[in-house]
Amino acid sequence: MIPTPVSLPGLAAPVRVLRDGLGIPHVLAASPRDAYCGAGWCMAGDRLWQMDLMRRLGHGRAAEVLGRPVLGYDAVSRTLGFAEAATRAVATFHEEDAALVDGFVAGINARIAARPLPPEFELLGYEPEPWRAVDSLVIEYFVGFALALESLEPKLVLARALGALGPERGAWLYPTPLPRALDAERLAAYRDLDTTILAAFGGSNPAGGSNAWAVAPARAAGGAALVAGDPHLLHTAPSPWYLMHLVAPGLDVAGAAYVGGPLVQVGRNRAGAWSVTNLTADDTEVVLERLHADGVRYDAGPDGWLPLARRETAIAVRGEDPYRLVVRETRNGPLLESVAAAVGAPAGPPTALRWKATAAPGHSLAGWLAVHRSAGLADVLGAAPLFDGAPFQTNAVYADRDGHLAHLALGAVPRRRTVGGLPALGWRGEGTWNGVASLAATPWRVDPPEGAVWTANETTGAADRAAGGEGQPFGEHPARARRIRDTLLGGRAHTVEGFARLQVDDLDLAAAANLPALRQALAGWGPDDGVVARAAAELVAWDGHTPVGSAGAALYHVFFYAEWLPLLFPEEACPGFASRWRVATWGAEAVLRAPRSPWFDDPDAKARGVRACLARAVDRLRTLAGDDPAAWRWGDLHRVACQHPLAFAPRFAAGALPPLPLGGSPYAPNQQRLGAAEPPFGAVVGAGVRMVADLGDPDHFHVTLSTGQSGDPESPHFADQRPSWHAGRLARVTLDPEHLEVATEVALVPADRRA
């Protein structure tokens, strides 16, 4: 094969780009900087418009090209100051890391200059600006805040429900005991708490989850450590992850990088492999403020009345005059009224938000680049403090070829002067921090005696230790972590194939734990309606598995989310709470499993409630799927519909991928978060990439994307990996250039040379 020569400004020496059958670029360079330059050129060639959209979201400039529907995102980004924080973070780059980022940026800009541009730019009538290092970082801030919503959502939603329901019922909603005494003033302040920022930043449920785990050689059939990772984010087309393999002296790293940046966060090198999950640390402070009647001062408690800061910015909106965003701030952060105004929602009580990432800007760049070139666990442990400035906190699972394992907590968390978990009252002097503390100061779990590590966003204690208090009050439901743990510790012959099966495992232990209470409530019930009776029998016999064809899974989800939650938390008593199913589940499970509660005086009353909900669920399913409960299918209610953001335009119609029926559930290892709390539920969050690495096989890793490498719907690589992803299969990717089946080859040469 004669490679196609391409001139690329910024290169010091020629670079070979070998593409395999999946379109994955294998970049072979004479220096790390040139390798990252090649990576930027390849990523921009495949995903330039997606990258441009992501940086626009981070800078608060998406409405400029997409119009008013995305103004809420821009309002959040501008109000919280993602771009300003990222700009400050760039200034902290060390010289060596700055050079590598400069190479990545040079590769992107060479691709922008090369033309032709992706067709999205022509359709929308604009051209991309040159890429800058700050653009890659501002994407980290945008994604970091999306992950921060994992803890911010329950903090806001639970406090509002607590104010509405009062302390007796409100205490049932929390996964842990309420962290402080609740007086009337606090409850009244919570009652109308402004939650607009949640809707403005992505709808009804946050977009982060993830699984990662590893086993030591003693638990692996092949005698070498195994690592698996499948980060869960919003289902998009293309996937937010981009696969690449970079080879240069001192560098041989392969895996998935979040689009727009050069950092392989799910992958491997010759010495080790790693993956990540969101730590779900509480890194925001919500502070209710009391404003003076003059509108220019706020009550700072012991410090008296202080002046509000004020800033104003114009957001360009496609097809409209610029939107004038006015942001008022206290010492606790910007008031969220600016976000409510931008989306046309009434503002609640004045609420300030402080986020660790903008209060103490930094980045994860130095840490990840060190992991890329690491030679084993000692190097990774040494790199851990380099993540302290990252915009989000991370669980990292790592294993090396010597058999070492680690589950590390990376990043930093606030050290609060008051207990976390609930919004603070600014006029009482609450909500201040004693700086931030490193999660990496003491490694979390290294070479545990059980020979396995795992993480599925559950509460671990790592953030609590660093914060000196409650650093993770709202970890994810523990069901996924328990299933993964039980599987890992239940065997000593784990394989790549077994790990791939676990990534799509459909046992929902949260649902399974609710079944005894349901069976008890349904025992002895003889409904007159034969369809209801047969449906009840299906539910009683269900085992908690959630495959596509399961009637029990279909009935359970309609019962629990569409009927049980609204019964306990009706809209008139607790506005918007039942639709926040992820948060409402904690309280709904507690009430279902308890013989008595503030909702039901005794088991008989609860049984009547369960039966009424089940009858209504059956009515819904009869309308949707017919009168034969045995023919109801979970996959008919639970589909994934990935589509290109511009799929509405005829030119991009191929980007509207056909919906696929999915197994899995919110609390199975194959996590598929529901798009709504009533049928059809949809599946809106899940694995965008799945990876398994065998440390005994350094020349391969196993991976699949939810779509494909390309962002162009007309490309054969736009969705070519989707069938494998849907079936739970991983491709075995060759990392030895000498044995690679090359589909295409390009020779990148310095601008003043030709191959």
Side-chain angles (χ1 to χ4, degrees), residues 229-230 503-504 670 672 687 689-692 702-704 725 728 730:
D230 54 305
Q503 288 175 330
V504 293
N670 184 15
Q672 302 293 340
V689 61
R690 299 190 186 109
M691 182 275 296
V692 179
H702 303 77
V703 72
T704 188
W725 176 87
L730 303 178

Side-chain angles (χ1 to χ4, degrees), residues 95-176:
E95 183 177 356
E96 181 181 1
D97 296 334
L100 298 181
V101 176
D102 179 70
F104 181 71
V105 168
I108 296 171
N109 286 328
R111 179 60 187 84
I112 291 174
R115 300 296 196 269
L117 292 171
E120 292 94 337
F121 293 102
E122 180 183 351
L123 178 69
L124 296 173
Y126 79 100
E127 292 196 356
E129 298 167 2
W131 199 267
R132 301 171 297 155
V134 70
D135 296 331
S136 292
L137 283 200
V138 83
I139 293 173
E140 266 206 339
Y141 278 80
F142 181 83
V143 175
F145 188 71
L147 297 177
L149 291 177
E150 293 287 301
S151 289
L152 180 58
E153 182 197 34
K155 183 182 292 187
L156 290 170
V157 172
L158 286 175
R160 185 169 177 170
L162 181 62
L165 297 177
E168 182 186 12
R169 291 194 176 201
W172 283 73
L173 308 183
Y174 284 77
T176 57

Side-chain angles (χ1 to χ4, degrees), residues 309-400:
R310 187 180 185 278
R311 54 187 164 90
E312 185 175 324
T313 186
I315 301 176
V317 181
R318 183 184 182 92
E320 301 182 21
D321 292 334
Y323 178 80
R324 179 170 160 266
L325 184 78
V326 177
V327 181
R328 298 192 294 174
E329 297 188 48
T330 73
R331 64 183 177 186
N332 297 310
L335 297 180
L336 298 181
E337 61 189 14
S338 57
V339 177
V343 298
T351 305
L353 180 66
R354 183 191 305 116
W355 181 34
K356 176 262 170 188
T358 52
H363 56 84
S364 67
L365 183 92
W368 281 118
L369 293 177
V371 171
H372 288 184
R373 57 182 178 260
S374 61
L377 178 60
D379 287 347
V380 172
L381 293 175
L386 299 176
F387 290 87
D388 286 356
F392 47 90
Q393 298 76 36
T394 300
N395 292 293
V397 163
Y398 178 83
D400 68 18

Side-chain angles (χ1 to χ4, degrees), residues 469-544:
E470 284 191 298
Q472 191 192 14
F474 305 118
E476 187 56 65
H477 196 295
R480 284 187 292 122
R482 288 173 182 164
R483 175 60 170 166
I484 293 167
R485 176 201 63 193
D486 292 349
T487 302
L488 297 182
L489 300 185
R492 289 191 173 274
H494 293 293
T495 62
V496 168
E497 295 74 20
F499 274 18
R501 287 193 298 272
L502 183 54
Q503 288 175 330
V504 293
D505 184 274
D506 63 15
L507 178 57
D508 184 335
L509 287 182
N514 291 331
L515 288 175
L518 287 175
R519 291 173 182 137
Q520 184 176 19
L522 298 175
W525 185 36
D528 295 333
D529 188 321
V531 176
V532 175
R534 292 196 300 275
E538 288 281 353
L539 185 59
V540 166
W542 185 50
D543 61 1

Side-chain angles (χ1 to χ4, degrees), residues 287-321:
V287 184
L288 282 84
E289 305 283 19
R290 180 178 289 161
L291 305 187
H292 195 278
D294 62 16
V296 297
R297 290 180 291 166
Y298 69 98
D299 186 351
D303 295 325
W305 294 95
L306 297 179
L308 286 163
R310 187 180 185 278
R311 54 187 164 90
E312 185 175 324
T313 186
I315 301 176
V317 181
R318 183 184 182 92
E320 301 182 21
D321 292 334

Side-chain angles (χ1 to χ4, degrees), residues 570-723:
E571 188 67 16
E572 61 273 15
C574 202
F577 189 68
S579 66
R580 296 272 170 186
W581 58 264
R582 173 177 163 266
V583 179
T585 289
W586 292 322
E589 287 185 337
V591 173
L592 180 61
R593 297 173 190 175
R596 292 172 177 80
S597 70
W599 283 263
F600 302 108
D601 291 336
D602 56 54
D604 289 340
K606 185 181 72 173
R608 290 193 294 272
V610 167
R611 293 168 181 178
C613 286
L614 183 62
R616 290 194 295 272
V618 171
D619 285 343
R620 285 181 183 258
L621 281 163
R622 292 172 84 164
T623 300
L624 291 168
D627 288 344
D628 181 6
W632 296 344
R633 287 168 45 89
W634 173 225
D636 292 339
L637 307 180
H638 188 237
R639 294 172 178 265
V640 60
C642 297
Q643 65 176 25
H644 186 284
L646 303 183
F648 60 86
R651 186 168 183 175
F652 294 94
L657 299 175
L660 294 174
L662 285 183
S665 71
Y667 303 120
N670 184 15
Q671 179 186 215
Q672 302 293 340
R673 288 195 185 173
L674 310 179
E678 58 183 30
F681 297 101
V684 296
V685 169
V689 61
R690 299 190 186 109
M691 182 275 296
V692 179
D694 180 352
L695 273 302
D697 180 10
D699 291 330
H700 299 89
F701 78 127
H702 303 77
V703 72
T704 188
L705 295 178
S706 56
T707 54
Q709 279 289 94
S710 176
D712 180 1
E714 299 297 333
S715 166
H717 295 306
F718 179 70
D720 57 332
Q721 298 181 50
R722 197 173 190 232

